[in-house]
Amino acid sequence: VRIPEALAMKIAVMQEERPRLFKHSLLATVVAMALGIRGKLAPRELRTLALSSLFHDIGELYIDPDFLDQQRRLSLAERHHVYAHPITGYLLLRECPSLPSGVAEAVLQHHERLDGTGYPYRLSAGDISQVSRYLAVAEVTSSLIEKHGADRRIGMKFRMNIKKYDAQAVTIICRLFENSE
């Protein structure tokens, strides 16, 4: 997968200045690819999923790092900045014509949920692309791995929120982690 030079530079900045975000993006990419391969996505969709998972939080580079501290209680205005990161990422990625179509859209939709409770636009099932659905599951999975390690809580989290996530992607993730301790 080729990464446009300007985006490779952004990833280098992320690695240097936001190492936690960089590691999260790499982990999300690994999880997304496992999902995509197990879900038998077409090669074109796999490529889109790989790139969108790598860049899914690139919009966070434009947010004050203090806003991303999970111990911090955010004001409403600060929360709006955080909730805008998919839009920021979308705007950045759509300016790269060499990216496959669908990458910017998947980044825009990675916090949308099938039941309409996500952000930034509260899209529901039929309005969310398949790549975005897989990316959402990969992103949540990677966050759970970072917090708790690779264990059964991952499957439990998705089973408790089954209406929010793609059923096929959730089934794959649950199978991947069902024997984890």
Side-chain angles (χ1 to χ4, degrees):
V1 175
R2 288 188 89 103
I3 298 174
E5 197 172 302
L7 293 177
M9 181 59 82
K10 298 259 186 226
I11 291 294
V13 168
M14 185 188 296
Q15 181 180 15
E16 184 65 30
E17 295 182 9
R18 306 268 182 97
R20 187 200 102 338
L21 180 61
F22 177 73
K23 290 175 187 174
H24 171 73
S25 296
L26 292 180
L27 182 56
T29 302
V30 170
V31 172
M33 293 314 298
L35 270 173
I37 291 166
R38 291 267 175 115
K40 296 183 170 71
L41 293 184
R44 181 183 197 100
E45 289 176 312
L46 278 174
R47 184 168 179 243
T48 300
L49 182 59
L51 288 165
S52 61
S53 58
L54 181 61
F55 296 120
H56 76 279
D57 277 342
I58 200 164
E60 287 189 14
L61 289 175
Y62 300 89
I63 297 174
D64 181 339
D66 290 340
F67 293 1
L68 304 173
D69 179 1
Q70 295 180 0
Q71 307 304 319
R72 179 185 169 130
R73 187 173 179 107
L74 296 176
S75 70
L76 184 59
E78 293 168 337
R79 191 169 300 127
H80 285 294
H81 282 283
V82 173
Y83 287 171
H85 83 270
I87 298 169
T88 305
Y90 169 80
L91 293 172
L92 178 71
L93 295 172
R94 77 174 189 180
E95 297 302 317
C96 295
S98 63
L99 287 176
S101 65
V103 172
E105 177 188 50
V107 168
L108 179 64
Q109 296 178 356
H110 80 275
H111 282 295
E112 298 290 359
R113 300 298 179 248
L114 299 182
D115 64 356
T117 60
Y119 65 90
Y121 297 114
R122 296 189 168 275
L123 300 178
S124 56
D127 299 319
I128 305 170
S129 74
Q130 183 177 24
V131 170
S132 300
R133 292 172 184 219
Y134 272 56
L135 177 54
V137 171
E139 196 276 333
V140 170
T141 301
S142 63
S143 293
L144 290 169
I145 290 170
E146 290 165 355
K147 287 181 185 173
H148 307 292
D151 67 16
R152 293 179 189 193
R153 285 180 270 200
I154 292 170
M156 185 173 23
K157 161 80 172 171
F158 286 112
R159 283 190 290 277
M160 291 172 52
N161 293 287
I162 195 69
K163 294 183 183 204
K164 294 180 182 285
Y165 301 100
D166 182 87
Q168 181 180 3
V170 167
T171 299
I172 294 166
I173 282 295
C174 289
R175 286 185 183 145
L176 287 171
F177 292 98
E178 68 188 356
N179 294 322
S180 300
E181 291 299 326

